[in-house]
Amino acid sequence: MSPKAAYIHIPFCSHICYYCDFNKVFIEGQPVDEYIELLIREMELTGKKYKIEPLETLYVGGGTPSSLTPQQMDRLLDGIHQYLPLQKGAEFSMELNPDDGTPELLSVMKQGGVNRLSMGVQTFNNELLKAIGRKHTKETAIRTIENARKVGFENMSIDLIFRLPKQTIEDFEQSLEMAMSLNLPHYSIYSLILEQKTVFYNLMRQGKLPLPTQDEEADMFQLAMDSMESFGRHHYEISNYALPGFESRHNLHYWKADEYLGFGAGAHGYLNQERYQNCGPIQHYLEPLRNSELPILQKDVLSKKSQMEEFMFLGLRKMSGVSNHEFKKRFGRNINDIYQDIIEDLLEQKLIQLTTEGIALTHQGKFLGNNVFQAFLLED
């Protein structure tokens, strides 16, 4: 069976933020045109190796896809349509930096079939934006959303981050209010994660990163949930809120532990019960493709046990939880046959609840989600 989703990685950024650990490089002096040509070659080679069925969802992320020029973007979109068939009504998302929202680039994206934009705004406080290494301002973000609407984009999402250094609850509330005033169909709202090899991680190790307390972080999460629910954006995944019908179909694909194709430097894919990862450094990625070989660094066959674990801990990120019917359809067993002890323990701790379908997080479980997810990884 062919995957119904694909991810494309554009690793270039016009600047590097202090909290980001994604596979990315500063765009200056990089072989961007060659990268696009060989990325298209990767799609062609993959299509020859596995027949690619029309996709339900395609997501272009990074890095910063919008750091490409309009001409480069046009070439990329042409190549995508040549080698990756899309179903009628497919979701075609692209990440957009608030700095890059020129009418020209947005028009190229719209004409090239992109129908959903995801923008990393993070906060509407200009001082905080500067403190986290973002180059855009609140004003730029608002203007980019206006430009996108003028070009005809309706399905848009913005990311906000809470628990930023020196961020107060009042400040986060103002960012939420600003975000809601833009009246978008989708919002992703995350707590700051300190990833190794980032500027913030090093500052934290030196005791120089003044973060909100755990209690303040929990209050911010509660505020996000309350604000979004009262605004009609339902909480459908631990960090995501949407108008009905505007949930991210691509991300739901991941949370259902379905298979997907991955293209680009450092991209991951999941195909035939095998996880694979492409070479990350740009030249390591390009070298095999110059010889018309796929740039795969490693493959791992997922055991049945690993597949079940992923189904559980990814599925429990959704507020609807995991379905026993789906589990049984995929693995031929009931969830309780495998995880009865863990489920009883989590029920006792009031972190999960039984639903008509299976199990889901309780309200308290949303705050301790990582504890719940990890519980399904501890079985040997």
Side-chain angles (χ1 to χ4, degrees), residues 202-234:
N202 293 333
L203 287 172
M204 184 266 297
R205 292 285 301 272
Q206 296 162 28
K208 294 180 181 171
L209 196 67
L211 295 173
T213 64
Q214 273 188 317
D215 282 353
E216 286 170 325
E217 180 187 0
D219 288 346
M220 288 177 184
F221 185 30
Q222 186 65 59
L223 178 64
M225 289 189 278
D226 292 345
S227 305
M228 286 288 136
E229 284 296 341
S230 64
F231 185 51
R233 302 316 185 255
H234 73 107

Side-chain angles (χ1 to χ4, degrees), residues 42-311:
E42 186 192 0
M43 296 175 210
E44 180 189 5
L45 292 170
T46 304
K48 283 178 180 167
K49 189 170 178 182
Y50 313 98
K51 186 175 181 329
I52 300 175
E53 301 287 334
L55 301 169
E56 289 170 4
T57 150
L58 176 60
Y59 191 102
V60 185
T64 315
S66 58
S67 62
L68 302 180
T69 64
Q71 293 72 24
Q72 289 165 339
M73 179 65 75
D74 195 38
R75 175 68 190 116
L76 172 65
L77 291 167
D78 267 359
I80 286 171
H81 288 298
Q82 193 174 351
Y83 295 112
L84 298 183
L86 294 176
Q87 292 184 13
K88 193 174 178 348
E91 177 189 89
F92 185 174
S93 304
M94 189 170 291
E95 288 177 1
L96 173 70
N97 198 19
D99 274 354
D100 301 327
T102 63
E104 188 187 2
L105 185 70
L106 287 162
S107 295
V108 170
M109 287 158 70
K110 188 83 179 80
Q111 284 158 13
V114 177
N115 55 22
R116 183 178 185 273
L117 297 178
S118 177
M119 226 186 308
V121 173
Q122 318 318 7
T123 171
F124 285 98
N125 175 325
N126 283 341
E127 278 175 35
L128 266 182
L129 283 168
K130 201 181 278 183
I132 64 176
R134 297 293 281 173
K135 290 282 184 277
H136 73 268
T137 60
K138 162 186 166 178
E139 292 74 21
T140 327
I142 294 166
R143 188 167 62 245
T144 292
I145 288 165
E146 284 169 2
N147 286 346
R149 280 192 166 130
K150 280 180 192 151
V151 167
F153 283 104
E154 291 165 19
N155 192 355
M156 287 189 269
S157 175
I158 60 173
D159 292 0
L160 293 178
I161 300 181
F162 58 91
R163 192 188 164 231
L164 293 170
K166 294 187 178 171
Q167 188 179 37
T168 63
I169 290 177
E170 292 71 30
D171 173 85
F172 178 55
E173 188 166 22
Q174 284 170 5
S175 272
L176 277 171
E177 283 169 3
M178 185 69 240
M180 291 186 290
S181 75
L182 295 165
N183 198 23
L184 300 172
H186 191 285
Y187 297 87
S188 297
I189 307 176
Y190 305 92
S191 172
L192 176 71
I193 297 170
L194 296 171
E195 303 282 8
Q196 292 187 19
K197 300 185 196 158
T198 61
V199 173
F200 274 0
Y201 184 81
N202 293 333
L203 287 172
M204 184 266 297
R205 292 285 301 272
Q206 296 162 28
K208 294 180 181 171
L209 196 67
L211 295 173
T213 64
Q214 273 188 317
D215 282 353
E216 286 170 325
E217 180 187 0
D219 288 346
M220 288 177 184
F221 185 30
Q222 186 65 59
L223 178 64
M225 289 189 278
D226 292 345
S227 305
M228 286 288 136
E229 284 296 341
S230 64
F231 185 51
R233 302 316 185 255
H234 73 107
H235 193 191
Y236 73 98
E237 190 272 346
I238 208 143
S239 306
N240 287 276
Y241 307 82
L243 280 176
F246 285 90
E247 300 83 357
S248 165
R249 281 150 59 188
H250 187 80
N251 286 340
L252 280 165
H253 210 87
Y254 294 150
W255 299 321
K256 289 175 183 168
D258 288 338
E259 297 191 336
Y260 61 95
L261 295 163
F263 299 99
H268 292 251
Y270 180 31
L271 192 59
N272 302 329
Q273 296 170 356
E274 211 173 43
R275 287 221 174 271
Y276 66 88
Q277 183 187 353
N278 280 348
C279 300
I282 307 287
Q283 290 301 334
H284 292 211
Y285 167 76
L286 297 177
E287 195 52 48
L289 285 164
R290 290 181 184 124
N291 302 316
S292 292
E293 292 166 10
L294 287 171
I296 292 172
L297 175 67
Q298 64 184 55
K299 291 181 173 184
D300 296 303
V301 178
L302 281 196
S303 65
K304 186 71 87 186
K305 174 178 172 291
S306 296
Q307 290 174 46
M308 289 178 185
E309 287 173 354
E310 287 201 357
F311 183 92

Side-chain angles (χ1 to χ4, degrees), residues 312 316 335-354 358-360 362 372 375-376 379:
M312 295 304 291
L316 280 165
I335 292 176
N336 265 346
D337 295 346
I338 313 284
Y339 294 116
Q340 186 166 0
D341 292 350
I342 294 173
I343 288 169
E344 283 176 4
D345 186 38
L346 292 170
L347 283 168
E348 205 173 302
Q349 293 179 60
K350 297 189 166 48
L351 297 180
I352 62 168
Q353 58 194 331
L354 299 176
I359 56 170
T362 58
V372 176
F376 290 93
E379 280 287 274

